[in-house]
């Protein structure tokens, strides 16, 4: 399938039809939203990443506007908070993390709204006396609510020779219909280092373990397809202060797959190893879909990142090669005690 740029007078009608197609695809296939900066959204990537950072607590936020040329096709927001707990009651290099996640996704210019709140727990067990190697397991429970605004939907059977002026035979119980359910996710993560300066990790997560059921019409339920995600990455020193970061993420849900791989170079511009100011330049690639340039800035306790998907798939005539803009922000509160134990944690 490919899209052709329509004449101006047809754009609005085409967008109405496409909006319904977009939300129909979500309801039918139940594919989860995803971020190009998957590494900057830890609690949506793997529940085992809960509490997996070097600091007192972490706050993360993400915003993504996918396919902006198609009338706000998908707009996604997340906000999360996680922290390590019981640090004085567990072994020195172990970490027990707890976190909370808020998620919102609007599809088809607000036709379908998807909101969720989740709580996650993870425990990371040190496998050696220096804490260079750790194995973590995490669990996440979420309450999910989805709402469909039928007043904003144009159906195929409303198309007449005069435009979308006919009546639809589709029947819904109300102008705004909703569904809610409990969702269960879990993950496992291994991370390690050979000398404390480099880092590498490998993880796997499973979403919708309980296969929750969805329906907007009350009588035809279907089970939400499980999603399996594999992630890997690491950092390698490049000189005295600089690093090269690399990461990859693969996910599969029903018959849909998503593979992203790439890396970024971190340039330390203040030559301070303990409190660096790093400028990140790099790119990721989503197989068969988009090139994703990345720029980031890390200073003090903040890390800001921005990407822009350049669509190179068969959709590019319709998307004008604009896959979507994405912004991430991570704040990690550093320990007051400069001698506090440091954890060997993945960053990308």
């Amino acid at each position: 399938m490919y899209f052709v740029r329509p004449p101006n007078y047809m754009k609005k009608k085409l967008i109405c039809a496409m909006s319904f197609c977009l939300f129909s695809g979500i309801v039918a296939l139940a594919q989860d939203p995803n971020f190009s900066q998957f590494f900057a959204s830890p609690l949506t990537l793997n529940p085992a990443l809960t509490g997996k950072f070097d600091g007192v607590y972490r706050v993360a936020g993400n915003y993504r506007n996918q396919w902006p040329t198609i009338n706000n096709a998908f707009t996604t927001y997340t906000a999360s908070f996680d922290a390590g707990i019981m640090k004085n009651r567990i072994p020195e290099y172990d970490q027990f993390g707890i976190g909370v996640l808020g998620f919102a996704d609007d599809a088809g210019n607000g036709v379908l709204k998807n909101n969720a709140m989740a709580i996650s727990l993870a425990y990371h067990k040190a496998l050696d006396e220096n804490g260079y190697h750790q194995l973590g397991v995490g669990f996440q429970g979420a309450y999910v609510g989805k709402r469909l605004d039928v007043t904003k939907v144009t159906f195929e059977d409303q198309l007449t020779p005069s435009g979308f002026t006919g009546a639809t035979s589709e029947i819904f119980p109300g102008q705004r219909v909703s569904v809610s359910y409990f969702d269960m996710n879990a993950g496992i993560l291994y991370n390690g280092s050979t000398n404390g300066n480099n880092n590498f990790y490998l993880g796997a997560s499973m979403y919708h373990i309980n296969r929750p059921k969805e329906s907007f019409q009350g009588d035809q339920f279907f089970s939400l397809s499980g999603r399996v995600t594999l992630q890997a990455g690491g950092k390698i020193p490049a000189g005295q202060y600089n690093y090269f970061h690399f990461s990859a993420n693969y996910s599969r849900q029903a018959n849909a797959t998503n593979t992203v791989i790439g890396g970024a170079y971190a340039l330390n511009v203040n030559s301070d190893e303990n409190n660096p100011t790093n400028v990140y330049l790099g790119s990721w690639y989503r197989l068969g879909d988009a090139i994703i340039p990345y720029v980031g800035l890390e200073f003090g306790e903040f890390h800001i990142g921005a990407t822009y998907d350049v669509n190179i798939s068969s959709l590019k005539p319709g998307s004008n090669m604009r896959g979507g803009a994405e912004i991430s922000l991570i704040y990690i509160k550093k320990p007051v005690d400069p001698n506090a134990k440091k954890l060997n944690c993945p960053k990308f």
Side-chain angles (χ1 to χ4, degrees), residues 135 179 283:
L135 183 65
V179 61
S283 181

Side-chain angles (χ1 to χ4, degrees), residues 85-340:
I85 60 175
M86 300 176 64
K87 294 186 177 182
N88 295 327
R89 298 185 180 183
I90 58 178
E92 182 179 8
Y93 290 106
D94 287 10
Q95 180 83 331
F96 187 12
I98 184 171
V100 60
L101 167 71
F103 172 91
D105 181 68
D106 292 348
N109 201 24
V111 173
L112 179 65
K113 293 184 178 294
N114 179 9
N115 299 298
M117 287 293 297
I119 296 176
S120 56
L121 294 170
Y123 192 89
H124 306 272
K125 179 63 181 176
L127 304 178
D128 65 302
E129 62 181 9
N130 296 316
Y132 285 173
H133 302 270
Q134 292 182 331
L135 183 65
V137 177
F139 298 91
Q140 185 179 76
Y143 177 79
V144 181
K146 295 185 178 182
R147 189 185 72 175
L148 173 65
D149 190 347
V150 183
T151 63
K152 296 181 179 180
V153 177
T154 302
F155 295 90
E156 182 182 6
D157 61 359
Q158 292 179 264
L159 180 61
T160 70
S162 301
F164 287 92
T165 59
T168 179
S169 61
E170 299 287 343
I171 300 175
F172 287 86
Q175 298 300 309
R176 292 179 175 83
V177 290
S178 60
V179 61
S180 60
Y181 52 83
F182 174 78
D183 202 2
M184 187 69 188
N185 315 311
I188 187 171
L189 179 77
Y190 164 78
N191 78 282
S193 176
T194 60
N195 55 17
N197 292 322
N198 56 23
N199 179 270
F200 46 89
Y201 68 91
L202 177 65
S205 51
M206 178 70 182
Y207 290 78
H208 319 309
I209 295 174
N210 57 324
R211 299 296 301 273
K213 294 182 178 180
E214 293 185 336
S215 173
F216 281 112
Q217 293 181 303
D219 57 349
Q220 297 179 351
F221 289 94
F222 70 92
S223 296
L224 187 60
S225 298
R227 174 166 60 93
V228 176
T229 303
L230 305 176
Q231 59 275 164
K235 70 174 184 178
I236 300 173
Q240 184 176 359
Y241 300 107
N242 306 327
Y243 288 89
F244 176 71
H245 298 264
F246 58 93
S247 61
N249 183 41
Y250 168 83
S251 64
R252 183 178 185 89
Q253 186 173 19
N255 293 322
T257 61
N258 180 45
T259 304
V260 184
I261 185 170
Y265 184 78
L267 177 64
N268 188 322
V269 296
N270 66 346
S271 299
D272 188 333
E273 185 176 3
N274 295 321
N275 294 288
T277 297
N278 291 322
V279 174
Y280 294 86
L281 294 174
S283 181
W284 272 257
Y285 173 60
R286 182 179 296 109
L287 267 59
D289 180 63
I291 298 172
I292 310 167
Y294 170 81
V295 60
L297 176 63
E298 181 181 24
F299 59 96
E301 299 171 319
F302 293 90
H303 190 149
I304 302 170
T307 54
Y308 194 90
D309 293 15
V310 181
N311 184 244
I312 58 174
S313 72
S314 58
L315 289 174
K316 64 183 179 181
S319 67
N320 292 327
M321 298 184 70
R322 295 170 58 187
E326 190 173 309
I327 299 173
S328 66
L329 172 64
I330 295 178
Y331 172 82
I332 297 178
K333 176 63 177 177
K334 294 182 178 180
V336 177
D337 182 5
N339 297 318

